[in-house]
């Protein structure tokens, strides 16, 4: 049908259909993969696959082809990997919480200090004693031993 739509005569049409069939079978063969875990085809001996362990499992062997011990090893490895990801999420959340509560929250010590300095700079009595508000510098209290001035406003 395709060959006739191309305007080919009857003998050429059969050659055209043969070429189309050959190209389809070639693409099917080209896209199929032969794995070492498949059963032998045509009496050829199969190559034995490496046993799946917790250390060497890369997920290539399908779940149904695994033995009970290999399934336990894969489950152990994936559970461990999931635990590592969960621990990373917990630590990241903890750091984000501490950063927010210590620096960005409206009731944090850093924000209280900044508001107090702003009030001091805008108070006319303080500017009369200390000079213009833009020149007033405020430092936090001595904090945790050797760090003398940890907060600058």
């Amino acid at each position: 049908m395709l060959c006739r739509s191309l305007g080919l005569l009857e003998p050429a049409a059969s050659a055209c259909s043969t070429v189309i069939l050959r190209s389809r079978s070639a693409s099917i063969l080209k896209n199929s993969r032969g794995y070492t875990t498949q059963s032998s085809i045509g009496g050829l001996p199969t190559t034995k696959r490496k046993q799946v362990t917790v250390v060497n499992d890369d997920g290539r062997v399908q779940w149904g082809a695994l033995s009970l011990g290999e399934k336990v090893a894969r489950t152990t490895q994936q559970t461990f990997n999931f635990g590592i990801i969960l621990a990373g999420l917990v630590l990241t959340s903890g750091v984000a919480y501490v950063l927010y509560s210590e620096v960005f929250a409206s009731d944090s010590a850093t924000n209280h200090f900044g508001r107090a300095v702003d009030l001091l700079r805008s108070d006319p009595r303080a500017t009369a004693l200390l000079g213009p508000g833009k020149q007033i510098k405020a430092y936090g209290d001595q904090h945790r031993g050797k760090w003398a001035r940890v907060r600058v406003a």
Side-chain angles (χ1 to χ4, degrees):
M1 192 68 135
L2 177 66
C3 297
R4 287 183 188 154
S5 66
L6 293 174
L8 297 175
L9 298 175
E10 195 61 39
S14 65
C16 179
S17 63
T18 305
V19 170
I20 291 172
L21 288 175
R22 283 186 185 164
S23 66
R24 282 188 183 166
S25 63
S27 67
I28 290 171
L29 288 175
K30 186 171 79 171
N31 291 333
S32 67
R33 295 180 177 175
Y35 293 103
T36 57
T37 58
Q38 291 179 341
S39 62
S40 63
I41 299 173
L44 298 174
T46 61
T47 58
K48 187 171 176 144
R49 67 174 173 82
K50 194 173 180 182
Q51 184 177 8
V52 174
T53 64
V54 174
V55 179
N56 74 352
D57 185 20
D58 57 4
R60 291 184 186 175
V61 182
Q62 291 183 356
W63 181 259
L66 295 175
S67 68
L68 180 64
E70 292 172 330
K71 287 180 180 180
V72 169
R74 180 172 286 176
T75 305
T76 303
Q77 181 194 34
Q78 290 179 347
T79 303
F80 179 76
N81 291 344
F82 182 69
I84 293 293
I85 290 170
L86 219 67
L89 287 174
V90 166
L91 289 174
T92 302
S93 300
V95 168
Y97 172 75
V98 168
L99 184 66
Y100 174 76
S101 65
E102 293 291 325
V103 178
F104 298 116
S106 61
D107 63 338
S108 70
T110 304
N111 279 336
H112 285 298
F113 183 77
R115 283 193 298 265
V117 170
D118 289 340
L119 287 172
L120 182 72
R121 287 181 179 160
S122 64
D123 188 17
R125 293 176 295 173
T127 55
L129 290 173
L130 300 172
K134 291 183 181 179
Q135 292 180 357
I136 296 175
K137 294 187 180 188
Y139 299 95
D141 57 346
Q142 190 167 354
H143 183 68
R144 294 186 187 161
K146 64 181 181 176
W147 297 99
R149 299 178 188 167
V150 289
R151 289 179 254 160
V152 179

